[in-house]
């Protein structure tokens, strides 16, 4: 079964090795930025990535129900908040010696 990243990137798992970290970091940054209602334009300037990449991962976050679209704004869901907590714990674990 293909991973979510492989599905959205239309690449094999092997092609994604080395890119997963950056992609999940981007999703986490999107979800974190949307804790307060945020427009796509603001996300684009806050996250500082290409518009195409932002658009792709923004849709992934919506599809995974980590954020929701309300009018022109995006807002983090409860599931998104749990994702951020788990992501921060994961990051802390990687920093442990």
């Amino acid at each position: 079964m293909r991973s979510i990243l492989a599905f959205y990137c239309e690449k094999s798992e092997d092609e994604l090795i080395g890119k997963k970290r950056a992609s999940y970091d981007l999703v986490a940054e999107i979800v974190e930025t949307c804790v307060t209602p945020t427009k796509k334009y603001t996300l684009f300037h806050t996250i500082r990535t290409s518009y195409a990449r932002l658009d792709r991962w923004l849709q992934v976050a919506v599809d995974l129900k980590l954020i929701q679209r309300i009018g022109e704004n995006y807002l983090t869901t409860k599931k998104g908040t749990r994702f951020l907590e788990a992501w921060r714990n994961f990051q802390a674990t990687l920093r442990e010696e």
Side-chain angles (χ1 to χ4, degrees):
M1 182 169 203
R2 294 172 64 194
S3 73
I4 293 170
L5 287 174
F7 176 79
Y8 278 99
C9 291
E10 298 178 1
K11 295 183 179 181
S12 71
E13 292 290 327
D14 292 336
E15 291 175 300
L16 287 172
I17 293 175
K19 295 183 181 180
K20 285 184 182 180
R21 169 96 184 200
S23 299
Y24 280 120
D25 280 334
L26 183 60
V27 170
E29 194 171 349
I30 289 169
V31 174
E32 188 168 39
T33 302
C34 292
V35 170
T36 58
T38 307
K39 293 185 188 311
K40 187 186 275 190
Y41 175 82
T42 304
L43 276 169
F44 177 69
H45 288 285
T46 301
I47 294 176
R48 297 179 185 258
T49 189
S50 71
Y51 186 82
R53 189 165 188 231
L54 172 65
D55 204 40
R56 172 185 289 161
W57 293 108
L58 186 61
Q59 189 58 51
V60 168
V62 170
D63 290 349
L64 293 174
K65 297 181 177 29
L66 300 175
I67 60 174
Q68 62 182 339
R69 187 167 183 181
I70 302 173
E72 293 182 6
N73 292 308
Y74 292 90
L75 184 63
T76 300
T77 62
K78 289 180 183 180
K79 183 178 180 181
T81 302
R82 290 191 311 267
F83 166 79
L84 282 177
E85 184 178 322
W87 182 251
R88 289 177 186 135
N89 289 336
F90 174 71
Q91 294 283 354
T93 301
L94 292 178
R95 286 190 287 271
E96 290 177 0
E97 291 185 41

